[in-house]
Amino acid sequence: MAAAATCGTGAGSTGSMVAAGGKNNVTSFQRRGPRASGSDSSYSRLVSIAGTRPSVRNGQLLVSTGLPALDQLLGGGLAVGTVLLIEEDKYNIYSSLLFKYFLAEGIINGHTLLVASAKEDPADILQELPAPLLDDNVKKDFDEDACNHKTAESNIKMKIAWRYQLLPKMEAGPVSSSRFGHYYDASKKMPQELIEASKWHGFFSPEKSSSTLNIEPCSLTHGYIKLLQFIQNIIYEEGFDGSNPQKKQKNILRIGIQNLGSPLWGDDICCTENGNSHSLTKFLYVLRGLLRTSLSACMITMPTHLIQNKAIISRVTNLSDTVVGLESFIGSERETNPLYKDYHGLIHIRQIPRLNNLIYDVSDVKDLAFKLKKKLFTIERLHLPPDLSDTVSRSSKQDLAEPSKLLGPGCGVMAGGKKHLDF
């Protein structure tokens, strides 16, 4: 009886607890509020910096390179804390344009700029930045370009092989979010009001090297030492490293270094085949260490076509996070080749960073070309006609097969393992 009474009392207490639980609408499966709010607050802190967004792959903070099509090829953008190396084209025409896009994107988003050059004064570089385009103007330009090519495309559409039509198209129009990645008019200059309202720091190597300082002998050139000291002071003094919290809202430091490795920086790797590469490689090693611990992103242009020693290029590539090469048709046989009449050069994605891993990703897209229209710099898949006319010589056909050896999957890959286009 006592036991039964005890059980009855327990059942009654359990019933009262259930009733109380039902009354308060509390269940054991309810999501915990503090953890959810904590994750939301951390996410809001991550995306609160203007001109940034988290990567969909690993959550790494990304900034735009100033060219939305290039952002797409790099996995969404340039990761904060990494180095983007641009291999200059032969005449340094298109690589300097990408350099200006990178700086212009920083001004539009309110980022702090650090411009270093041994050839041009940073103040003069900022005066040559392209003007931003509004979304409506971008759509209008793309619509006009589409109308101009509509007739030509309709005439040759039946000549294009079916495998070309199945290829995914590169992003050419405005992105869905106007806050990340902008388009620029290469025919116009950025308004002076935007440049004056921006915050930037300039490093002109001839002016910095003119000062005589007692520096301990090491493997770095004088210009590289002064540049590293300049970058380190900006990062520490303005709180981009996090040790000295920024008073205002957090911001990004965009570092642009032009013509690194050229003789203008006091480096001899472009002059002799057996040049001393320790100065350049050590500079990149120290620079990447500074970037890893700060809210900064760096773009470097380098005349790799002048470096005769291929081992040096391999070391420089390994010390960079992202490597993009530009191959211009100017001065080459392809400039007059009718197969390439719609393009101005090829773009090669040499290396894509794979953060928190020992190896890096290799881009699946190999057949890429770029062209500079009246206003816009665009990147497209290299589409070549499958049926060559009688006017094209056999040498042109052989020349066509060379850039097509590294085509991605689906671009003429045959069962025998050959990776060139099959006409």
Side-chain angles (χ1 to χ4, degrees), residues 118-407:
K119 181 180 179 181
E120 301 179 65
D121 194 317
D124 296 335
I125 295 178
L126 294 181
Q127 296 298 326
E128 298 295 326
L129 297 183
L133 278 174
L134 299 178
D135 292 343
D136 295 338
N137 294 335
V138 175
K139 294 179 180 179
K140 181 179 179 181
D141 293 334
F142 277 108
D143 292 341
E144 292 178 355
D145 183 73
C147 293
N148 294 334
H149 293 79
K150 185 175 181 180
T151 304
E153 290 180 356
S154 61
N155 293 335
I156 65 174
K157 187 174 182 181
M158 297 302 297
K159 298 180 181 180
I160 300 179
W162 62 269
R163 59 175 171 266
Y164 290 102
Q165 299 181 1
L166 297 179
L167 289 176
K169 296 183 179 180
M170 294 300 302
E171 179 183 359
V175 294
S176 58
S177 176
S178 59
R179 293 176 297 176
F180 189 90
H182 299 80
Y183 290 85
Y184 298 91
D185 187 352
S187 63
K188 297 181 181 179
K189 306 301 179 185
M190 179 171 291
Q192 191 65 28
E193 305 84 49
L194 295 178
I195 299 177
E196 294 177 354
S198 63
K199 185 177 182 180
W200 62 277
H201 305 275
F203 182 92
F204 192 37
S205 182
E207 295 179 354
K208 301 294 182 179
S209 301
S210 61
S211 59
T212 57
L213 295 176
N214 295 327
I215 301 178
E216 298 180 359
C218 63
S219 59
L220 285 172
T221 63
H222 180 73
Y224 291 164
I225 293 176
K226 298 295 296 181
L227 179 56
L228 286 175
Q229 292 176 350
F230 186 78
I231 295 175
Q232 184 179 21
N233 292 336
I234 297 299
I235 290 177
Y236 290 165
E237 291 176 1
E238 301 194 8
F240 291 104
D241 61 333
S243 60
N244 182 20
Q246 300 173 351
K247 297 180 180 180
K248 299 181 180 180
Q249 188 177 5
K250 290 185 177 181
N251 200 359
I252 299 294
L253 175 64
R254 284 179 178 253
I255 303 174
I257 306 176
Q258 194 177 45
N259 305 123
L260 188 69
S262 66
L264 298 175
W265 286 98
D267 209 327
D268 61 345
I269 60 173
C270 296
C271 303
T272 59
E273 184 176 357
N274 298 324
N276 184 14
S277 64
H278 296 291
S279 182
L280 178 60
T281 54
K282 188 174 182 180
F283 171 83
L284 293 174
Y285 184 82
V286 177
L287 174 64
R288 196 165 67 166
L290 292 174
L291 297 177
R292 287 291 192 269
T293 58
S294 62
L295 287 174
S296 56
C298 180
M299 173 183 283
I300 298 175
T301 65
M302 183 178 299
T304 54
H305 61 280
L306 298 178
I307 302 178
Q308 302 177 15
N309 193 340
K310 301 301 181 182
I312 298 179
I313 299 179
S314 178
R315 295 171 191 168
V316 170
T317 301
N318 293 333
L319 288 172
S320 304
D321 299 295
T322 308
V323 181
V324 177
L326 297 179
E327 180 184 353
S328 174
F329 293 158
I330 300 178
S332 65
E333 296 179 356
R334 296 174 181 173
E335 184 178 9
T336 57
N337 193 326
L339 297 175
Y340 302 99
K341 62 180 180 179
D342 295 331
Y343 308 101
H344 293 151
L346 302 177
I347 182 169
H348 308 281
I349 308 298
R350 312 281 191 196
Q351 179 173 294
I352 297 178
R354 191 168 186 176
L355 303 176
N356 303 323
N357 288 274
L358 297 178
I359 60 175
Y360 58 86
D361 283 333
V362 178
S363 176
D364 295 334
V365 183
K366 300 291 185 182
D367 47 333
L368 292 171
F370 66 86
K371 59 181 177 180
L372 179 61
K373 301 178 183 179
K374 183 178 179 180
K375 297 181 179 181
L376 301 173
F377 182 92
T378 59
I379 300 176
E380 301 177 358
R381 285 182 179 267
L382 181 61
H383 295 295
L384 299 176
D387 186 16
L388 300 177
S389 61
D390 297 337
T391 59
V392 181
S393 62
R394 182 177 298 273
S395 61
S396 299
K397 296 181 181 180
Q398 296 176 354
D399 179 64
L400 170 63
E402 293 180 0
S404 305
K405 292 180 179 179
L406 296 177
L407 290 178

